[in-house]
Amino acid sequence: YITIDTKSVPIEGEKNVLSLIRKAGIDLPTFCYHSELSIYGACRMCIVEDDRGNIFASCSEQPKAGMVIHTNTKRIQKYRKLIIELLLSTHCRDCTTCQKNGMCSLQDLAFRVGVHAVRFLNNKKEMPLDMSSPCIVRDPNKCILCGDCVRTCDEIQGIGAIDFAFRGSQTQVMPAFDKNLADTDCVG
């Protein structure tokens, strides 16, 4: 058993703490976690705090008997809000004209954690859209680098048409050699 927000939850083969949190009926936000894909742990939205004050991503932490987990402490709330602000800081800010407005998980989560304005300037250079594919529009200005598309393309489709390129603040998801999606093996 582990204790999650005062609930005792049995470990029955779950591979990560996040699975036990969801088993306990607790809605913990995630962006980069999908049970069908490999663990990436990049978004940090699923952070939790243990009884010693350690903070970690619950999606990549193996459960151990006796763990005591807190999912929504003041400290965690503060960090989640900062994480969303940082994700939004390099995200285009045209939400009101975006076709996903009102159906966007990033927008929903921003409201949920109390982000009503972003304190940080977006100094990222605007990138052109890749509209070459008949079924996918690749907009690097909206990418939050969660890695879902990269892992899905590689692990589910088995194609590997896109991947991470560059480092640090220059990181992008794109086809190799800056090709258009239509010029890759992408199956859409």
Side-chain angles (χ1 to χ4, degrees), residues 54-80:
N54 298 316
I55 292 179
F56 53 86
S58 63
C59 69
S60 58
E61 185 74 20
Q62 279 190 298
K64 297 169 201 75
M67 290 177 102
V68 177
I69 304 296
H70 307 284
T71 64
N72 204 29
T73 64
K74 290 287 184 200
R75 188 172 168 211
I76 293 292
Q77 290 173 9
K78 177 182 153 191
Y79 288 154
R80 278 198 192 113

Short mmCIF file of all heavy atoms in Angstrom, two decimals, residues 54-80:
data_model
loop_
_atom_site.label_atom_id
_atom_site.label_comp_id
_atom_site.label_asym_id
_atom_site.label_seq_id
_atom_site.Cartn_x
_atom_site.Cartn_y
_atom_site.Cartn_z
N ASN A 54 10.14 15.90 -0.83
CA ASN A 54 10.70 15.70 -2.17
C ASN A 54 9.59 15.85 -3.21
O ASN A 54 8.50 15.33 -3.03
CB ASN A 54 11.32 14.31 -2.29
CG ASN A 54 12.47 14.12 -1.34
OD1 ASN A 54 13.32 14.98 -1.19
ND2 ASN A 54 12.49 12.97 -0.67
N ILE A 55 9.90 16.53 -4.30
CA ILE A 55 8.96 16.72 -5.39
C ILE A 55 9.47 15.93 -6.59
O ILE A 55 10.65 15.99 -6.92
CB ILE A 55 8.80 18.21 -5.73
CG1 ILE A 55 8.09 18.91 -4.56
CG2 ILE A 55 8.03 18.40 -7.03
CD1 ILE A 55 7.90 20.39 -4.74
N PHE A 56 8.56 15.18 -7.22
CA PHE A 56 8.96 14.38 -8.38
C PHE A 56 7.76 14.19 -9.31
O PHE A 56 6.61 14.36 -8.92
CB PHE A 56 9.52 13.02 -7.94
CG PHE A 56 8.63 12.24 -7.03
CD1 PHE A 56 7.64 11.41 -7.53
CD2 PHE A 56 8.77 12.34 -5.64
CE1 PHE A 56 6.81 10.70 -6.69
CE2 PHE A 56 7.95 11.62 -4.80
CZ PHE A 56 6.97 10.79 -5.32
N ALA A 57 8.06 13.83 -10.56
CA ALA A 57 7.02 13.53 -11.54
C ALA A 57 6.45 12.15 -11.23
O ALA A 57 7.17 11.16 -11.23
CB ALA A 57 7.59 13.57 -12.95
N SER A 58 5.17 12.09 -10.96
CA SER A 58 4.54 10.83 -10.57
C SER A 58 4.49 9.83 -11.72
O SER A 58 4.43 8.62 -11.48
CB SER A 58 3.14 11.07 -10.01
OG SER A 58 2.29 11.63 -10.98
N CYS A 59 4.55 10.30 -12.96
CA CYS A 59 4.48 9.38 -14.10
C CYS A 59 5.73 8.54 -14.25
O CYS A 59 5.69 7.45 -14.82
CB CYS A 59 4.22 10.15 -15.39
SG CYS A 59 5.60 11.19 -15.94
N SER A 60 6.85 9.02 -13.73
CA SER A 60 8.11 8.30 -13.91
C SER A 60 8.65 7.70 -12.61
O SER A 60 9.76 7.18 -12.58
CB SER A 60 9.16 9.22 -14.54
OG SER A 60 9.37 10.35 -13.74
N GLU A 61 7.86 7.77 -11.55
CA GLU A 61 8.29 7.24 -10.25
C GLU A 61 7.63 5.89 -9.98
O GLU A 61 6.40 5.78 -10.02
CB GLU A 61 7.92 8.23 -9.14
CG GLU A 61 8.42 7.86 -7.77
CD GLU A 61 9.91 8.07 -7.59
OE1 GLU A 61 10.52 8.83 -8.36
OE2 GLU A 61 10.47 7.47 -6.65
N GLN A 62 8.44 4.88 -9.71
CA GLN A 62 7.90 3.57 -9.36
C GLN A 62 7.31 3.61 -7.96
O GLN A 62 7.93 4.16 -7.04
CB GLN A 62 8.99 2.51 -9.41
CG GLN A 62 9.29 2.01 -10.79
CD GLN A 62 10.21 0.80 -10.72
OE1 GLN A 62 11.32 0.90 -10.25
NE2 GLN A 62 9.70 -0.33 -11.19
N PRO A 63 6.15 3.01 -7.76
CA PRO A 63 5.57 2.98 -6.41
C PRO A 63 6.31 2.02 -5.51
O PRO A 63 6.74 0.95 -5.95
CB PRO A 63 4.13 2.52 -6.66
CG PRO A 63 4.16 1.81 -7.96
CD PRO A 63 5.29 2.39 -8.76
N LYS A 64 6.48 2.43 -4.27
CA LYS A 64 7.12 1.59 -3.27
C LYS A 64 6.21 1.55 -2.04
O LYS A 64 5.69 2.59 -1.63
CB LYS A 64 8.49 2.16 -2.89
CG LYS A 64 9.49 2.19 -4.04
CD LYS A 64 10.72 3.00 -3.67
CE LYS A 64 11.48 3.48 -4.86
NZ LYS A 64 10.89 4.60 -5.56
N ALA A 65 6.04 0.39 -1.48
CA ALA A 65 5.19 0.24 -0.31
C ALA A 65 5.62 1.21 0.78
O ALA A 65 6.80 1.39 1.03
CB ALA A 65 5.26 -1.20 0.21
N GLY A 66 4.63 1.86 1.40
CA GLY A 66 4.90 2.79 2.49
C GLY A 66 5.04 4.24 2.06
O GLY A 66 5.15 5.12 2.91
N MET A 67 5.06 4.50 0.76
CA MET A 67 5.17 5.89 0.29
C MET A 67 3.98 6.70 0.81
O MET A 67 2.87 6.18 0.91
CB MET A 67 5.18 5.98 -1.24
CG MET A 67 6.41 5.47 -1.91
SD MET A 67 6.24 5.57 -3.73
CE MET A 67 7.22 7.01 -4.06
N VAL A 68 4.22 7.96 1.12
CA VAL A 68 3.16 8.90 1.49
C VAL A 68 3.24 10.05 0.49
O VAL A 68 4.24 10.76 0.42
CB VAL A 68 3.33 9.41 2.94
CG1 VAL A 68 2.25 10.42 3.27
CG2 VAL A 68 3.30 8.25 3.93
N ILE A 69 2.18 10.20 -0.30
CA ILE A 69 2.16 11.14 -1.40
C ILE A 69 1.10 12.21 -1.18
O ILE A 69 -0.03 11.90 -0.78
CB ILE A 69 1.85 10.41 -2.73
CG1 ILE A 69 2.85 9.28 -3.00
CG2 ILE A 69 1.78 11.37 -3.91
CD1 ILE A 69 4.27 9.71 -3.20
N HIS A 70 1.46 13.46 -1.46
CA HIS A 70 0.53 14.59 -1.42
C HIS A 70 0.45 15.15 -2.84
O HIS A 70 1.47 15.47 -3.45
CB HIS A 70 1.02 15.66 -0.45
CG HIS A 70 1.32 15.13 0.92
ND1 HIS A 70 0.33 14.82 1.83
CD2 HIS A 70 2.49 14.82 1.52
CE1 HIS A 70 0.89 14.36 2.93
NE2 HIS A 70 2.20 14.34 2.77
N THR A 71 -0.77 15.27 -3.36
CA THR A 71 -0.92 15.67 -4.77
C THR A 71 -1.25 17.14 -4.98
O THR A 71 -1.17 17.61 -6.11
CB THR A 71 -2.04 14.84 -5.44
OG1 THR A 71 -3.30 15.14 -4.80
CG2 THR A 71 -1.75 13.36 -5.38
N ASN A 72 -1.60 17.86 -3.92
CA ASN A 72 -2.06 19.23 -4.16
C ASN A 72 -1.70 20.18 -3.02
O ASN A 72 -2.52 20.98 -2.60
CB ASN A 72 -3.59 19.21 -4.39
CG ASN A 72 -4.05 20.39 -5.19
OD1 ASN A 72 -3.32 20.93 -6.01
ND2 ASN A 72 -5.28 20.81 -4.95
N THR A 73 -0.47 20.12 -2.55
CA THR A 73 -0.03 21.03 -1.49
C THR A 73 0.10 22.45 -2.06
O THR A 73 0.12 22.64 -3.28
CB THR A 73 1.33 20.59 -0.93
OG1 THR A 73 2.31 20.69 -1.97
CG2 THR A 73 1.28 19.18 -0.36
N LYS A 74 0.20 23.42 -1.21
CA LYS A 74 0.40 24.82 -1.65
C LYS A 74 1.66 24.92 -2.51
O LYS A 74 1.67 25.62 -3.52
CB LYS A 74 0.51 25.77 -0.45
CG LYS A 74 -0.78 25.94 0.31
CD LYS A 74 -1.74 26.78 -0.49
CE LYS A 74 -3.00 27.04 0.33
NZ LYS A 74 -4.11 27.41 -0.53
N ARG A 75 2.70 24.22 -2.11
CA ARG A 75 3.96 24.23 -2.85
C ARG A 75 3.77 23.65 -4.26
O ARG A 75 4.23 24.23 -5.25
CB ARG A 75 4.99 23.42 -2.06
CG ARG A 75 6.38 23.48 -2.59
CD ARG A 75 7.30 22.79 -1.57
NE ARG A 75 8.60 22.58 -2.13
CZ ARG A 75 9.39 21.58 -1.82
NH1 ARG A 75 9.01 20.70 -0.91
NH2 ARG A 75 10.56 21.44 -2.37
N ILE A 76 3.07 22.54 -4.36
CA ILE A 76 2.79 21.91 -5.66
C ILE A 76 1.93 22.83 -6.52
O ILE A 76 2.17 22.99 -7.71
CB ILE A 76 2.10 20.53 -5.47
CG1 ILE A 76 3.05 19.54 -4.82
CG2 ILE A 76 1.55 19.99 -6.77
CD1 ILE A 76 4.21 19.11 -5.67
N GLN A 77 0.92 23.45 -5.91
CA GLN A 77 0.06 24.38 -6.65
C GLN A 77 0.88 25.52 -7.24
O GLN A 77 0.70 25.91 -8.41
CB GLN A 77 -1.03 24.94 -5.74
CG GLN A 77 -2.07 23.93 -5.34
CD GLN A 77 -3.03 24.48 -4.29
OE1 GLN A 77 -3.04 25.66 -3.96
NE2 GLN A 77 -3.84 23.59 -3.72
N LYS A 78 1.80 26.05 -6.45
CA LYS A 78 2.67 27.15 -6.90
C LYS A 78 3.53 26.70 -8.08
O LYS A 78 3.66 27.40 -9.09
CB LYS A 78 3.54 27.60 -5.73
CG LYS A 78 4.55 28.67 -6.06
CD LYS A 78 5.38 28.99 -4.82
CE LYS A 78 6.73 29.50 -5.23
NZ LYS A 78 7.67 29.58 -4.12
N TYR A 79 4.12 25.50 -7.97
CA TYR A 79 4.98 25.00 -9.04
C TYR A 79 4.19 24.70 -10.31
O TYR A 79 4.65 24.99 -11.41
CB TYR A 79 5.75 23.76 -8.59
CG TYR A 79 6.86 24.05 -7.60
CD1 TYR A 79 7.28 23.07 -6.72
CD2 TYR A 79 7.48 25.28 -7.54
CE1 TYR A 79 8.30 23.32 -5.80
CE2 TYR A 79 8.48 25.54 -6.62
CZ TYR A 79 8.89 24.56 -5.77
OH TYR A 79 9.90 24.80 -4.87
N ARG A 80 3.02 24.10 -10.18
CA ARG A 80 2.20 23.82 -11.38
C ARG A 80 1.82 25.10 -12.10
O ARG A 80 1.85 25.16 -13.32
CB ARG A 80 0.93 23.06 -11.00
CG ARG A 80 1.15 21.60 -10.84
CD ARG A 80 -0.15 20.80 -10.91
NE ARG A 80 0.16 19.46 -10.46
CZ ARG A 80 -0.30 18.92 -9.35
NH1 ARG A 80 -1.14 19.58 -8.58
NH2 ARG A 80 0.06 17.70 -8.99
#
